[in-house]
Amino acid sequence: MPTNDSLLKLFGETPLWHPQTNSCASPVEVLGGRTVLLYFSASWCMPCVRFTPKLIEFYTNLKQRGEAVELVLCSMDQEYNCFSSYATKMPWYAIPFDHPETTQLLVNRFEANGGIPHLAIISPDGSMLEVDDAIAHVKADPVGQHFPWPSAPLSSLLSNHYCRYSDGVMEQIPSSALENKYLLLYFAASWSAPCQESGPKLEKIYANLKKHRNDFEVSAYPCEP
């Protein structure tokens, strides 16, 4: 069974409190070998208050299916009564109010400084899953049918072909030619002075690299009005 030791080390000796049973358990017991969702939230945050019922529905659906997943509330509340009242509405574990240092450590580690609600997803091997806006995914997929929402491959975002110009002649190249290559996406505009300066430099670098290797390609995306 994979282990999320790197996540468990962040909790240290901090127990996890279950508001429904008013009991505590060790992070190893609750989170070991599971996909973990860290929910950064607070009772004073109205977007959080509106989102929490949706997250409860999502969590309940996952649990009913027997998914190896657990969720932990990382509360940003500053008063115990507010924390306790808010946490008791949730069916998952929470970091105890008297362990703010652990919450702050997780805030810093999982980039929750930018605002709440914030949801971080950690795989059973301890790596953070790169999910663009997990909050929006929960709203769009309330039963968790596609959880943990793997990112779409870049190839699915590209057109079927791209154009290459050589000596004024346009050639259409199938996108399949980009498979197994490093791809640099160059967004530029003719009216941009920085682009006018960087374009020729990029062309020179591209030509020099192509003399030695062919495992990459540059695709330009004009940003003209």
Side-chain angles (χ1 to χ4, degrees):
M1 176 183 293
T3 60
N4 43 14
D5 290 344
S6 58
L7 174 63
L8 296 174
K9 288 179 181 177
L10 295 176
F11 283 90
E13 299 298 320
T14 302
L16 295 177
W17 174 61
H18 202 295
Q20 302 300 324
T21 60
N22 194 28
S23 60
C24 290
S26 70
V28 174
E29 178 185 351
V30 176
L31 309 179
R34 297 174 179 269
T35 299
V36 178
L37 293 86
L38 300 178
Y39 181 39
F40 299 89
S41 184
S43 64
W44 46 261
C45 168
M46 286 303 101
C48 299
V49 171
R50 290 192 293 268
F51 174 70
T52 296
K54 296 180 174 63
L55 187 58
I56 292 175
E57 177 187 4
F58 171 80
Y59 174 82
T60 301
N61 282 319
L62 291 181
K63 282 297 197 179
Q64 288 177 344
R65 290 207 306 270
E67 298 279 355
V69 63
E70 195 50 74
L71 199 151
V72 177
L73 170 66
C74 305
S75 175
M76 313 292 276
D77 277 303
Q78 300 299 311
E79 298 181 5
Y80 176 77
N81 289 339
C82 295
F83 160 79
S84 178
S85 176
Y86 189 45
T88 53
K89 299 175 182 177
M90 306 176 194
W92 45 71
Y93 285 87
I95 296 175
F97 182 77
D98 57 356
H99 286 268
E101 72 288 346
T102 301
T103 297
Q104 189 58 51
L105 183 64
L106 295 172
V107 165
N108 296 336
R109 172 62 180 82
F110 295 104
E111 303 176 355
N113 315 74
I116 53 176
H118 181 79
L119 195 63
I121 305 174
I122 300 90
S123 69
D125 66 5
S127 61
M128 182 176 175
L129 297 179
E130 299 296 332
V131 177
D132 292 332
D133 197 350
I135 299 293
H137 277 293
V138 170
K139 294 178 181 178
D141 184 21
V143 298
Q145 180 179 357
H146 304 292
F147 178 79
W149 313 297
S151 299
L154 180 61
S155 58
S156 68
L157 305 177
L158 301 175
S159 59
N160 294 328
H161 67 272
Y162 65 98
C163 299
R164 175 185 291 163
Y165 290 87
S166 179
D167 297 326
V169 178
M170 183 186 75
E171 178 186 8
Q172 285 195 354
I173 309 295
S175 292
S176 58
L178 301 175
E179 292 181 2
N180 301 317
K181 289 190 175 185
Y182 295 103
L183 184 60
L184 292 80
L185 305 182
Y186 179 51
F187 298 89
S190 61
W191 46 263
S192 167
C195 294
Q196 293 170 9
E197 181 180 351
S198 64
K201 294 179 180 178
L202 180 60
E203 289 181 23
K204 184 177 180 180
I205 293 172
Y206 177 86
N208 287 331
L209 282 175
K210 278 295 185 180
K211 294 176 183 178
H212 308 288
R213 55 191 295 182
N214 195 40
D215 62 344
F216 76 98
E217 196 53 74
V218 176
S219 183
Y221 291 84
C223 301
E224 307 294 342

